[in-house]
Structure formats: structure tokens, C-alpha cells
Amino acid sequence: MTETAATRPDLPATWEPGEYESDLYQQWVDAGYFTADAASDKPAFSIVIPPPNVNGSLHMGHAFEHVLMDALSRRRRMQGYEVLWLPGMDHAAIAMQAMVEKQLVADGSSRHDLGRDKFIERVWQAKEEIGGTIGEQMRRLGDSVDWSRERFTMDEGLSRAVQTVFKKMYDDGLIYRAERLVNWSPTLRTAISDIEVKYQEVDGELVSFRYGSLDDAQPHIVVATTRLETMLGDTAIAVHPDDERYRDLVGTSLEHPFLDRRIPVIADDYVDPEFGSGAVKITPAHDPNDFAMGQRHDLPMPTIMDATGTIADTGTQFDGLDRFEARKAVREALAEQGRIVKEVRPYRHSVGHSERTGEPIEPRLSLQWWVKVDTLAKAAGDAVRNGDTVVHPKSLEPRWFGWVDDMHDWCISRQLWWGHRIPIWYGPDGEEICVGPDEQAPEGYVQDTDVLDTWFSSGLWPFSTMGWPDDTADLRKFYPTSVLVTGYDILFFWVARMMMFGTYVADTFGDRDTPVPFRDLFLHGLVRDERGQKMSKSKGNGIDPLDWVQNYGADALRFTLARGARPGADLSVGESNAQDSRNFATKLFNATKFALMNGARVDELPSPSELTDADRWILGRLEEVRAEADSGLESYEFGKACEALYHFAWDEFCDWYLEIAKVQIASGAADSTAIVLGVVLDKLLRLLHPVIPFVTETLWRSVTGGESVTIAQWPTPDAEPVDAAAAGRITDMQRLVTEIRRFRSDQGLKPGQRVSARIVGLDAAGLAEQAAVIDALAKLNQPDEAFTATATVEVALSSGVTEVQIDTSGKVDVAAERKRLEKDLAAARKEQAGCEGKLGNEQFLSKAPDAVVDKIRTRLAVAIADVERIERLLDGLPVA
């Protein structure tokens, strides 16, 4: 396409991203570039956003995966796909309820004062007040999401999907109610999921106390615990079956110090006879391992705490005490009885804490709703084994199978008010029915008070957001989704749930091939600080991505994250990375501005014969980099793609071709050079656009006069083959210029200081066409009749050694040059000696492969030649 300068917008004087990014983003949205058309005949590409919590804000981990999802979406859009990137947020049941309850407490109230309906109204109000924060942050990042399809896990459509799945699973016998051990939060008064439990080392006390007689000659057993209050719920003492110390006690019972019951002594292989006394107390209702043992031995499982963590219903003096108060009181009471053995000793151990409240969680036996996962988990595993979903990187497949092949039944109920209420209703005579979305419970029935775990509704996200259970145009066009981009750290908690639900409801999609919710699963790592430490509030090393957007621009943030992205690997970032990326955007801007000032335009390229070696070289390199970047983005190797584009743009286009272009323009090749500049920039900016959309949009419009790079065609393979011969000559020219520059630097010559020089062998090297370029880049003057060389630089090129004779009289520091050459001579002699030593070693020669020996002989020949050359150069230096 040919564009006149009049149709192309002018570039600003400098690139200040904060002045342009918001307007550019709004232009894209207003133009409808991100709005997907389900009726389109284009091939579909779809991504659903991992929904962030509605009460939160985007942290660096969010920004990381948003950049990757956006890069994929923008590239596919340019490739001609109908792209749907669907945004939305999670209702974050525990987080939102905790936030609003905290507000109520500050106002001197509580949710119980309001009542359930009023409290839920209050949460909806809070959602409306803060729900726009994340959306604004996504806009500032440049997310090309379809805002017309934004969803929320508590909106009407998704609620209908939740009820539909629950009823289907209930009717299929996959959902049941049972008493099991759960993670309990006494502050929130609810069960919480494993992902909401964070383990940390704490200082505690290991207390050893005595069951049975205080007389050593009579039956007794010593046990130890860090949670002394749980002994009020002990229902057994366990020892190893082969432990001779306790063989006579197995099958007997010992009196409980505070309860009117005796505690049986049982034998179980779980017990380690080498640890402590070799005996352990068993509290089935308050410890996961004890619960399993209680099931094996059919032990009673009394719960000794209420929902607030207060000791209750034990019939002891400890009832009414908080669990930590009870811990101290029980110890004192045992001490009074003489049952504390030895001294209480400090003990540092790992304790689970609630992520939301910071309190130690309490393992607690509780009546909850559960999902039977065995068949669901098998289907999720088989989906990857069969190749229906492909995990990237493949190295994380074992982690996937480790989760789904050993999954335990899932507790889906939460004792909260905010969330999807469990659609189970109870009749006046104990009847239990599950009510679907289009059904009504009989009169007089009462609904279960619990709500569903947030992961239940978010597990339906890929298809519930597109209108399931209805047969919608979006589902027909965009489901299953093309790829899920998420962190490996929530592989089990979210990804496994989606895969289980997706495979479970696959038969509801008719005869379409939709066995999985996503075709590809791309797992990225964690974003860490520049020291490799995990970012956290407690460490104070977190980075707000919006701070970087403010200080360096969205493109700088995006390029930093994408450049460091490698499948499954963590990346470390710091301020210097953002500065480097900002400098890259500035470099690109300045290069484009220079090109436009010199007439750069997009037009049909002249025939190869009309182009210079440098033209053909840069076009060939562009094609090679296009293929490399294309391959990287296709295989989720974002880092490789960005590295290739960065080094081409900075090292080859800006540092070499632009300098060559100045010479070509001055020598009369302005028209063809302008076209090459325009063509290269057009394609380079399109290749960079998915990662750095703002600066590339501004530059591409100015270069091409086109509407928007957002909807420009993605670069395709060039029909013109890469000119390897031209590339080889330019490589030789670069090597020659680099060596001359190195010599100049060693001599302390100023960068702009010109010296006279004669290059011997330029024609033989095929570089005659580059003579003017070499002179310009190396700051050389053609010699006059009185020219006398004072120094010689020999450069090994592909065609042989080329000699550069330079007159540095009055300009060269002879002592510095002698020092440089002596350093090179020492290195060459060391290489020579090393090679001679190996070739003189008969043992080495008898064992080394012929290819290795030949390589060393070649190295020796090169070293000998270098020694002779450098000695000759030293001899030619003037006497100081």
C-alpha cells in the first residue's frame, strides 16, 4: 500500500505514555475492535479471564497473566480470528463477607443485627461501590477484553448455571452430606478451603503428660501434644503393633483425667515407635490423621469446640473457655494432678492460618456438603492423558496427575451468607429435596442456610459465562475455549475444578466435540522480586503494577513481564527492568521518528537487484525474526519471542541499519532506503503490537497511515528468500567496523574523532560496496598521498584476513596500544601452549575422538598465526 505523508498523523516530539495511553484505549473500545461477533464466519479464538476477587485490586501476578492473555488475543485478532476475551469478577464469598462484617463492627453492628437479607443487600452495595476498580486497572494495562460480555459469578445467568449443575450432580449421587473433618475458621465461623490456609512456623509448647496411673509400676502411657486442649476430645491412645513396651496395654483402657470415661489403647501402623514416647493421643474430631485412625478403628468422635473455637459440651470445668485459654487451663490442671512429665519445652512447628483473618485454623468435625470426586477426577486426568487438553509446559503434567489421581472428596459448603445458597430444602418431617433453577420448593419447606464454596461457581466459569445451560450462540462459537492462562499455584484449586465440571457437563452440548473446557492449558510461574523472593505484604517487597504504569508506561510493564515469561517458570523483576523496557519503547519511538524524517514509507519494495546488501540483510533478518517470534508466541514462549524482537529492533535495526541508512540516503539511495525503512517498521511494529500495544499503535499509524495496528494483518512468511550471501557480507562488515571501533577505544580516541586509514583486501572480501558505510561507521578518512600508517589492525573475515592500516600519528597512545597487543599476545600464547600440551599427551591422543583432536589442531594453527601476527604488530609500533 502506498500512503502519502498527508494521510499519516504526525508523531509528538517525545513519547510520554501517560499522555496518550488512555485515549488510545478508549479509541479501541469505541471502535469495537474487542467486541466479538458470534455470527462471524472467522475461526474462533477464546479466552476467559481468571476472575479476580471483586473486592481486590490487580497485583503483579494478575498483571503478568493479563499481559500474556492480551498478547495471545491481539495476535489472534490480527491473524484473522474472531476473538473473544471474556472479562469478569468473582464474588469472593469469604473475602467480601469479612470486609463488610468488619465495616459493620466499626459501626457498632453485626450481620446478625441486620439479618440475612439486609446483610446481603449491604454486600451488593459494597460490590457496586468497589467493583469498578479492577476494570479501570485492566483498561490501564491495555486489556483487549470484550466489555459487552463482562460477567460476575453472582449474576443471574451464572446463578442459574450453579443451580443446574448442583441439581444434576445431586440427582446423579455425586453430592452428599456427611460429617467430615474440615479447616474451620472460628472468627468467620465457617469451613474454608485449603487454598485459604497458609502455613507458617510458630513458637509453641510441646507438653508431655501422663494417662493412667501416677505410679510407675502401674499401667500408664506418656503422650505429647502442642494442642493440649484437644485432649478433652481424646478417644484413644495409639501405639505401634510391634512396640514391645506397650504390647500388654493394647486392648486395655486408661482413665481420662477430666472425663467420666476410659480411653482405649489401640495398635496402628501409623504410629512411629521411634518418635517421642512411641505413643500418640487420638482426637478424631480435631486432627486429620486422628480422624483417619478414628475411622479405621470405629472410634467415637466428639466435637469439643463450638463454631467460635470455645470449649463446649465436655462437661468439664473448661467449658466456656476460648481454645487458647483452655490450653493453659488444662496444662495447669494436669500439673496439679502431677501428670505433666518433665518440663514443658518450646517447640517450633508449622501451623495453618486463615488467609483472611490471620488466626490459626481449627481442624473440626463438621456436617458439610461434599462432592464425590473419584469419577470426576478420573475424567479430568483422562482429558490430559488423551490429549483433549494439552498442558504447557509438558513438564508440569506430573503435577497435574499428582493432584487429580489422588483427590479427596471436596467440601463445597460454607457457613456464610454471601454466596450461592445451597439449593437444598428441608420439609417439616425431615424431607430433603434439591430445587433446580426453574423449580419451586413446596410450601413449608426451608432452604439450607449454607452457601457454596466460591470455587464451585468459578469452576463453571468457562461455560457459564457464555450462557450455559442454554444453547447460546456464544457457546456454539467460542466453547470450548482455546486456552486457559493461569498460574501453576492454583492448578488444583481452580483448574482441576473447571476440568471436572467441563467434562461432567460435556454431554449437555449435544453432538459437538466439547469434552473439555479449554484446549490448551498454559501454566505460568510466580512473579518474584529482583532477589527472587516471593512478593508479599508482610515482606514489604510487593510491586503495584499500576505504579509502573504511572512511572514508565503500560508498555514498559507489559514488555518487562512478557520478556521474562517462560512456561512454568517464575520470573524476577525490579525497577531496573521497567526502566530498560521504557528505554526500549523510547528507542523504538526515536528510530521511527528518524525514519519518518527521512521519508520512510510503506510501498512495494524494489527488486532485490536494486537493493543494497544492507537492505537485503535487514529484510532477511526481519523474516528470520518474524519466524522466531511467531514460533515463540505459538508455543507460549513469550520470553523467546520478546528477546528475538528486542535484539533485532535495538541491536540490528537501530544500531546498524539506521546508521547505514544515513549513508545510503546521503549517497543517493534515498528512495529505496525510505521504502525499506517503512517496510521494516511496518512489520516490526505489527510483530511487537501484541506485547506493547500503545507505542506501536502510535508509531504504526504514522508510518502507514492505516486505521489501527490492532486490526492490521499479522505478518506472514515473506515470499522472497533470505539472501544469505548479502547477510554474510554485512556480518563481515559489522565485524570489521567493530574491530576498528575497539582499536579506537583502546587508543582513547574520541567517538567522533576521524582518522585516515587504508583498508587492504576490501574488494577480495566482497565489501567494496560497503566502503562508504565502513568509513562512516568507523569514522575513517580516505588516505591522501602523504599517508603513512602508524598502526595496523588485522581482522579475520569469512574470506580471510583484512588489514586496516591507520595513521594515528599524534592521536594514538603508543603505550596503551602496546599494552593491548601484549595482552592479546599473552592470551594467544596461552592458547598455543594449551593446545600443544594436549597434542603432546599420548594418553589424551589415544582416548580422544578424532573430531576432538582435529579441532584442537585447528585451534593450534589459529593460535600460532595469532602469535605471529601480534608479534609483527608489536614490532611495528614506534619506540616510545
Side-chain angles (χ1 to χ4, degrees), residues 690-701:
V691 177
I692 49 174
F694 293 105
V695 70
T696 53
E697 174 78 333
T698 302
L699 298 178
W700 188 85
R701 288 178 182 177

Side-chain angles (χ1 to χ4, degrees), residues 379-397:
D382 289 345
V384 173
R385 290 188 180 92
N386 299 338
D388 295 323
T389 293
V390 180
V391 177
H392 303 268
K394 189 175 178 64
S395 60
L396 287 181
E397 274 190 6

Side-chain angles (χ1 to χ4, degrees), residues 57-295:
S57 60
L58 298 184
H59 53 62
M60 195 59 89
H62 289 129
F64 183 32
E65 66 187 15
H66 281 225
V67 167
L68 304 186
M69 287 185 284
D70 194 41
L72 294 172
S73 299
R74 287 179 180 270
R75 175 171 174 263
R76 288 297 190 219
R77 197 175 286 117
M78 295 171 74
Q79 287 179 314
Y81 286 76
E82 191 63 40
V83 173
L84 169 60
W85 183 15
L86 193 149
M89 289 178 286
D90 191 275
H91 64 280
I94 290 180
M96 279 294 285
Q97 176 152 330
M99 183 189 78
V100 175
E101 284 202 72
K102 187 176 181 180
Q103 294 171 353
L104 291 174
V105 170
D107 295 339
S109 180
S110 72
R111 64 174 163 127
H112 299 286
D113 293 333
L114 288 181
R116 185 168 192 141
D117 291 342
K118 291 291 185 182
F119 177 76
I120 291 174
E121 286 180 16
R122 181 71 176 263
V123 181
W124 274 110
Q125 179 185 342
K127 182 263 181 186
E128 294 304 316
E129 291 172 354
I130 64 178
T133 301
I134 288 177
E136 179 56 31
Q137 292 174 324
M138 290 169 61
R139 288 173 167 84
R140 293 190 67 187
L141 291 177
D143 288 359
S144 61
V145 297
D146 184 347
W147 290 110
S148 70
R149 287 176 166 85
E150 186 176 11
R151 303 305 299 268
F152 180 58
T153 51
M154 285 281 286
D155 68 29
E156 184 178 350
L158 271 68
S159 296
R160 187 163 179 267
V162 166
Q163 283 184 273
T164 301
V165 165
F166 188 100
K167 180 169 176 57
K168 177 176 169 60
M169 297 180 78
Y170 181 86
D171 291 345
D172 288 345
L174 296 176
I175 288 180
Y176 64 96
R177 199 181 192 201
E179 269 199 323
R180 299 280 181 82
L181 214 65
V182 297
N183 301 311
W184 188 264
S185 167
T187 299
L188 297 172
R189 304 184 190 183
T190 181
I192 60 176
S193 70
D194 290 341
I195 199 173
E196 289 152 338
V197 177
K198 303 301 178 185
Y199 286 85
Q200 58 191 63
E201 294 291 316
V202 300
D203 292 320
E205 292 180 337
L206 186 65
V207 181
S208 297
F209 70 96
R210 184 174 187 139
Y211 267 118
S213 175
L214 297 177
D215 183 350
D216 289 345
Q218 298 300 314
H220 68 277
I221 293 180
V222 174
V223 294
T225 180
T226 59
R227 300 167 64 223
L228 195 56
E229 69 282 3
T230 63
M231 63 88 64
L232 299 171
D234 285 355
T235 56
I237 301 166
V239 298
H240 193 275
D242 300 329
D243 195 331
E244 293 292 339
R245 293 171 295 178
Y246 304 113
R247 183 178 297 277
D248 293 341
L249 288 176
V250 173
T252 67
S253 62
L254 301 174
E255 186 177 354
H256 193 285
F258 306 117
L259 301 171
D260 186 21
R261 68 167 182 256
R262 298 182 68 81
I263 308 298
V265 180
I266 62 174
D268 195 286
D269 290 333
Y270 170 78
V271 180
D272 180 2
E274 302 299 323
F275 183 78
S277 68
V280 292
K281 58 186 285 300
I282 305 302
T283 318
H286 292 276
D287 181 273
N289 296 318
D290 292 4
F291 177 75
M293 197 178 298
Q295 287 184 311

Side-chain angles (χ1 to χ4, degrees), residues 858-871:
T858 301
R859 285 171 51 192
L860 175 60
V862 171
I864 292 172
D866 283 345
V867 169
E868 293 174 351
R869 175 177 60 83
I870 298 169
E871 287 177 340

